[in-house]
């Protein structure tokens, strides 16, 4: 009987076409905007409310600190023209490595209580990441394992390498789904092809990454790593303007140049990039990365003016590790540049490699299922798996970085792992 009573209580609203007051926070997620001692809390309500976060030290007095922010109206460009308010509050002067509890919202409605650990700003910090792409709200196979591991404190940040949501309704469901991860650790993103609808408007409005580029490209520092996130999609969606392609390239060049200043490279020797569509892959699906003249890798010569690719730029500035997704598989490459393997040595290929190390981790789980591999890969393909799963990475110190692949199909078994060891960083490391 109760459901009928509830329905009748809503009848006046339904008849008038006026929705009930939806002031309850949802889709809570954290991000780091690159300022030591800070954390941004982002959430959504369907009606406008105050934007407030109450927080305190874990084990201390609950909610004895408070911060206010702003809400912006986002109107989805789809047929429904759905409206929502995106709230952002920046917490500042956090104590490095301290644990906090928080909730967000207003006196019209509060979220659940969550916790996070403020990022350690020490150069000797050894951050731990989970990384993956193509985790959808349909068939998100790796989600439960990632939820548990995040709440166990196994990760300092998550790197989601594109393909998050398609439109507002799917985006809402996806953001609710990842709240049990993203409300506990910074959830750092880059755009993929599934975000392209309406000029990436859902992606640009929902996330709060560093910089002033609507989260399309940005960089941040953690431990001994400089992490660069960018959009591969600027090479494919030219209908949204070619200027984005050239603006991003110039930004990447300037960012990498700054990161390579001797004093900066000494402090943050590892440069790690993340972008959705890979430069190389051995999948059997005719995607860009299966072609020798990949747009992301070599640029677009079919447009005017021609657009430069990224392989030469990343090589010139000594990018150490390049993280990708898009292909619904896992693939580890030997160090590669110019379509040629450039191992450190035959016995120890990842010790002082002579080119960047590429990792493709796009099999976290989505509706399209996993892809198939080409039975005859090129020599740069070192390890491949079609298992659902995700990757882990730890930047251990200035010379050692560890990566491993977790198979969800095999109940969390680690099916691949490597140590990348570099005594030198930068372009001179290739010589």
């Amino acid at each position: 009987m109760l459901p009928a009573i509830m329905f009748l209580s809503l009848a006046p609203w339904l008849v008038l076409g006026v929705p009930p007051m939806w002031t309850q926070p949802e889709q809570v997620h954290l991000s780091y905007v690159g300022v030591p001692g800070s954390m941004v809390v982002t959430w959504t309500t369907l009606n406008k409310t105050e934007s407030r976060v109450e927080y305190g030290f874990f084990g201390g007095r609950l909610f004895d600190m408070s911060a206010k922010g702003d809400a912006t109206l986002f109107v989805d460009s789809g047929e429904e023209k759905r409206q929502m308010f995106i709230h952002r509050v920046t917490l500042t002067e956090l104590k490095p490595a301290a644990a906090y509890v928080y909730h967000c919202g207003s006196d019209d409605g509060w979220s659940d209580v969550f916790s996070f650990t403020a990022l350690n700003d020490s150069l000797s910090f050894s951050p731990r990441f989970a990384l993956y792409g193509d985790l959808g709200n349909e068939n998100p196979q790796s989600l439960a394992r990632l939820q548990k591991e995040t709440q166990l404190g196994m990760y300092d940040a998550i790197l989601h390498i594109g393909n998050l949501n398609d439109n507002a309704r799917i985006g809402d469901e996806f953001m609710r789904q990842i709240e049990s991860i993203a409300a506990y650790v910074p959830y750092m993103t880059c755009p993929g092809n599934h975000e392209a609808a309406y000029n990436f408007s859902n992606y640009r409005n929902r996330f709060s990454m560093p910089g002033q580029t609507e989260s399309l490209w940005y960089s941040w520092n953690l431990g001994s790593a400089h992490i660069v996130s960018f959009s591969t999609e600027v090479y494919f969606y030219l209908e949204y303007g070619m200027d984005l392609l050239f603006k991003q390239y110039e930004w990447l060049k300037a960012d990498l140049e700054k990161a390579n200043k001797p004093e900066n490279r000494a402090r943050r020797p590892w440069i790690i990039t993340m972008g959705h569509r890979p430069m190389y892959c051995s999948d059997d699906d005719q995607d860009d990365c299966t072609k020798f003249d990949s747009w992301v890798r070599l640029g677009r010569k079919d447009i005017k003016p021609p657009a430069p690719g990224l392989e030469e730029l990343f090589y010139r500035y000594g990018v150490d590790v390049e993280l990708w997704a898009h292909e619904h598989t896992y693939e580890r490459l030997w160090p590669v540049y110019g379509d040629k393997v450039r191992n450190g040595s035959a016995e120890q290929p990842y010790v002082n490699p002579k080119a960047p190390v590429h990792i493709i981790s796009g099999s976290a789980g989505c509706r399209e299922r996993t892809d198939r591999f080409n039975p005859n890969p090129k020599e740069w393909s070192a390890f491949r798996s079609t298992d659902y799963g995700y990757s882990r990475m730890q930047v251990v110190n200035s010379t050692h970085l560890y990566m491993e692949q977790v198979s969800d199909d095999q109940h969390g078994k680690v099916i691949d792992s490597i140590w990348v060891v570099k005594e030198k960083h930068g372009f001179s490391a290739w010589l």
Side-chain angles (χ1 to χ4, degrees):
M1 190 67 182
L2 184 58
I5 292 172
M6 291 174 63
F7 180 81
L8 287 173
S9 69
L10 289 173
W13 301 107
L14 297 172
V15 170
L16 294 172
V18 179
M21 296 293 288
W22 287 324
T23 56
Q24 185 64 32
E26 59 175 50
Q27 307 172 37
V28 180
H29 54 286
L30 301 175
S31 59
Y32 177 62
V33 291
V35 179
S38 72
M39 193 76 76
V40 174
V41 186
T42 307
W43 71 93
T44 299
T45 59
L46 297 182
N47 283 16
K48 187 172 185 180
T49 67
E50 188 181 20
S51 306
R52 196 158 84 240
V53 173
E54 296 179 338
Y55 62 107
F57 288 108
F58 189 89
R61 184 181 175 186
L62 204 59
F63 308 145
D64 63 344
M65 292 177 274
S66 180
K68 290 186 177 182
D70 298 301
T72 56
L73 174 65
F74 170 53
V75 181
D76 180 57
S77 298
E79 292 182 3
E80 296 181 57
K81 304 296 180 188
R82 296 184 68 241
Q83 297 186 12
M84 63 193 74
F85 289 86
I86 311 293
H87 302 257
R88 291 177 174 87
V89 173
T90 301
L91 308 183
T92 60
E93 299 182 5
L94 300 173
K95 184 179 178 181
Y100 292 84
V101 294
Y102 75 99
H103 68 174
C104 59
S106 69
D107 289 338
D108 294 315
W110 291 99
S111 71
D112 288 339
V113 177
F114 302 106
S115 63
F116 69 87
T117 299
L119 290 177
N120 190 328
D121 58 6
S122 169
L123 293 173
S124 61
F125 177 47
S126 301
R128 304 156 301 162
F129 303 87
L131 60 99
Y132 49 82
D134 301 81
L135 177 70
N137 71 310
E138 292 182 40
N139 188 37
Q141 182 163 326
S142 301
L143 183 67
R145 196 174 306 281
L146 285 162
Q147 290 168 330
K148 183 175 181 179
E149 291 179 352
T150 300
Q151 293 175 20
L152 283 171
M154 288 179 60
Y155 306 118
D156 299 297
I158 305 293
L159 307 180
H160 193 143
I161 312 172
N163 278 17
L164 303 101
N165 53 73
D166 295 274
N167 56 43
R169 282 208 179 275
I170 293 176
D172 285 346
E173 187 56 39
F174 175 79
M175 297 303 295
R176 294 183 191 111
Q177 194 167 266
I178 65 164
E179 184 181 76
S180 53
I181 299 173
Y184 294 91
V185 293
Y187 202 86
M188 310 302 285
T189 62
C190 71
N193 56 299
H194 281 204
E195 285 75 70
Y198 316 117
N199 195 8
F200 297 86
S201 61
N202 269 272
Y203 175 83
R204 287 173 16 233
N205 282 275
R206 289 180 185 272
F207 292 97
S208 309
M209 298 298 117
Q212 304 298 319
T213 62
E214 297 181 301
S215 304
L216 294 174
W217 57 81
Y218 60 91
S219 65
W220 55 299
N221 299 317
L222 194 60
S224 56
H226 179 69
I227 303 169
V228 183
S229 175
F230 65 97
S231 172
T232 57
E233 303 316 295
V234 297
Y235 285 90
F236 297 88
Y237 293 95
L238 300 182
E239 62 268 31
Y240 297 139
M242 284 195 295
D243 61 313
L244 283 177
L245 199 167
F246 294 98
K247 281 181 180 178
Q248 176 177 260
Y249 185 86
E250 291 304 316
W251 179 88
L252 283 168
K253 182 179 177 182
D255 184 82
L256 292 171
E257 194 169 287
K258 181 179 179 182
N260 272 277
K261 288 183 176 180
E263 63 273 23
N264 292 334
R265 198 76 197 239
R267 288 167 56 83
R268 317 272 186 189
W270 292 99
I271 296 182
I272 301 166
T273 63
M274 54 184 270
H276 185 59
R277 302 196 204 208
M279 293 183 188
Y280 298 93
C281 69
S282 64
D283 291 72
D284 191 19
D285 56 12
Q286 301 304 304
D287 277 347
D288 182 63
C289 55
T290 66
K291 305 167 188 175
F292 177 76
D293 57 349
S294 155
W295 285 344
V296 175
R297 187 165 78 88
L298 297 180
R300 294 198 61 163
K301 308 298 187 288
D302 60 330
I303 62 174
K304 292 183 179 180
L310 299 178
E311 183 176 46
E312 196 277 331
L313 181 73
F314 288 178
Y315 182 78
R316 186 195 326 156
Y317 286 104
V319 170
D320 300 292
V321 177
E322 302 182 24
L323 306 174
W324 311 95
H326 190 60
E327 305 305 313
H328 300 165
T329 49
Y330 168 75
E331 187 165 14
R332 168 172 55 83
L333 277 59
W334 300 119
V336 60
Y337 171 69
D339 210 38
K340 291 183 172 59
V341 173
R342 297 175 184 244
N343 289 343
S345 67
E347 298 78 21
Q348 296 179 303
Y350 298 106
V351 175
N352 297 319
K354 302 305 180 186
V357 176
H358 294 244
I359 300 289
I360 302 165
S361 185
S363 58
C366 60
R367 64 173 181 257
E368 292 96 347
R369 310 294 166 172
T370 54
D371 292 333
R372 295 179 303 176
F373 281 118
N374 185 322
N376 301 301
K378 289 193 174 185
E379 63 177 4
W380 38 252
S381 182
F383 181 90
R384 310 189 297 179
S385 173
T386 58
D387 284 7
Y388 285 112
Y390 52 94
S391 303
R392 298 182 184 131
M393 177 176 72
Q394 183 174 15
V395 182
V396 178
N397 54 36
S398 63
T399 58
H400 287 66
L401 181 148
Y402 177 73
M403 295 200 68
E404 64 184 21
Q405 178 67 10
V406 178
S407 168
D408 194 76
D409 286 344
Q410 298 184 51
H411 312 292
K413 179 182 177 181
V414 174
I415 59 172
D416 185 44
S417 64
I418 60 166
W419 281 93
V420 182
V421 180
K422 300 196 69 170
E423 295 167 312
K424 288 177 63 178
H425 295 267
F427 180 76
S428 63
W430 310 143
L431 305 178

